[in-house]
Amino acid sequence: MSELSPAMLSRLALKMPAEFDARQRTIWIYIERTTGRFVKVVLPQMRVVNAGTLQRIHRRAGGQARYLWLEKYGTPFPETGVDGDWSEFVLADEIPHEGPTRLTEAEWAHVQRASRQAALTVDILWLLVEGLGWRPGQPVSDDDRGWLSVWAEEEESPGVMESVRELLCLPRRYDWTPIAVIRAYTTRPRSTWRAIAAA
């Protein structure tokens, strides 16, 4: 097992509601896109990822989705037309933000724009709003230690920094590393995707 990066250590230490944290739980979103109806299924975090584990998680999530759908909408789970996926693959504007932090109409407009222009996903929106207390459309200083948690997601899924910059109305910069991140590393942290995109 490899040693965790300074950014990931910061991310894992972040205090946020577990039902909005894809690092603490496995979170599935089931969406009926024609109507906008959806349910969120929150399961314990997967420890081992293999075909058997994925099948068990998928079956368990599907069963809970059926129960939650009936409870939320009073109708049976549709047999067709519902897509289910991890929160990490659902665009942030595909479902309303139902976290403890309420977003204004103007903030929601920033979420919609960032979702379409820079593939902002639900899990990253939750991280920013519920975990870091950042607001859509409001820039954040590059020495804010919250950037370490964002960088941890960039290390796992290159391109996250660009979607976050879009949400915060910061200019596009493929080669940008926040000062807070640089200070946390003994050698300069890198993202190969951003280096390629900038070329």
Side-chain angles (χ1 to χ4, degrees), residues 56-73:
R56 283 191 301 278
I57 290 288
H58 186 69
R59 280 196 303 271
R60 186 171 174 193
Q64 283 196 23
R66 290 178 178 283
Y67 169 78
L68 292 171
W69 194 280
L70 184 60
E71 185 178 63
K72 185 175 184 178
Y73 298 112

Side-chain angles (χ1 to χ4, degrees), residues 107-135:
E107 289 171 335
W108 185 247
H110 286 295
V111 171
Q112 292 173 310
R113 182 181 48 76
S115 295
R116 298 305 164 181
Q117 291 184 2
L120 177 73
T121 54
V122 170
D123 66 311
I124 299 302
L125 178 65
W126 293 338
L127 166 64
L128 302 178
V129 173
E130 303 301 344
L132 299 174
W134 294 359
R135 305 300 301 208

Side-chain angles (χ1 to χ4, degrees), residues 118-121 123-124 127-128 147 149-166 191 193-194:
L120 177 73
T121 54
D123 66 311
I124 299 302
L127 166 64
L128 302 178
W147 284 112
S149 292
V150 177
W151 191 264
E153 300 300 337
E154 172 75 18
E155 290 174 333
E156 296 281 314
S157 181
V160 167
M161 292 295 285
E162 292 310 308
S163 64
V164 171
R165 288 181 65 83
E166 188 73 36
S191 170
W193 177 87
R194 293 186 307 124

Side-chain angles (χ1 to χ4, degrees), residues 37-154:
R37 297 189 303 176
F38 76 97
V39 291
K40 178 176 78 168
V41 176
V42 181
L43 300 172
Q45 182 67 305
M46 287 190 300
R47 298 291 177 217
V48 178
V49 179
N50 58 40
T53 303
L54 290 175
Q55 283 182 340
R56 283 191 301 278
I57 290 288
H58 186 69
R59 280 196 303 271
R60 186 171 174 193
Q64 283 196 23
R66 290 178 178 283
Y67 169 78
L68 292 171
W69 194 280
L70 184 60
E71 185 178 63
K72 185 175 184 178
Y73 298 112
T75 60
F77 189 83
E79 293 303 319
T80 61
V82 175
D83 297 319
D85 215 334
W86 283 290
S87 60
E88 296 95 317
F89 298 104
V90 175
L91 291 178
D93 70 338
E94 291 188 280
I95 63 170
H97 181 69
E98 295 185 338
T101 304
R102 296 290 169 225
L103 300 180
T104 67
E105 286 184 28
E107 289 171 335
W108 185 247
H110 286 295
V111 171
Q112 292 173 310
R113 182 181 48 76
S115 295
R116 298 305 164 181
Q117 291 184 2
L120 177 73
T121 54
V122 170
D123 66 311
I124 299 302
L125 178 65
W126 293 338
L127 166 64
L128 302 178
V129 173
E130 303 301 344
L132 299 174
W134 294 359
R135 305 300 301 208
Q138 296 182 18
V140 174
S141 169
D142 71 345
D143 62 355
D144 187 303
R145 287 196 48 85
W147 284 112
L148 271 173
S149 292
V150 177
W151 191 264
E153 300 300 337
E154 172 75 18

Side-chain angles (χ1 to χ4, degrees), residues 26-42:
T26 297
I27 305 171
W28 278 72
I29 308 291
Y30 289 83
I31 309 171
E32 185 179 47
R33 287 187 168 85
T34 57
T35 64
R37 297 189 303 176
F38 76 97
V39 291
K40 178 176 78 168
V41 176
V42 181

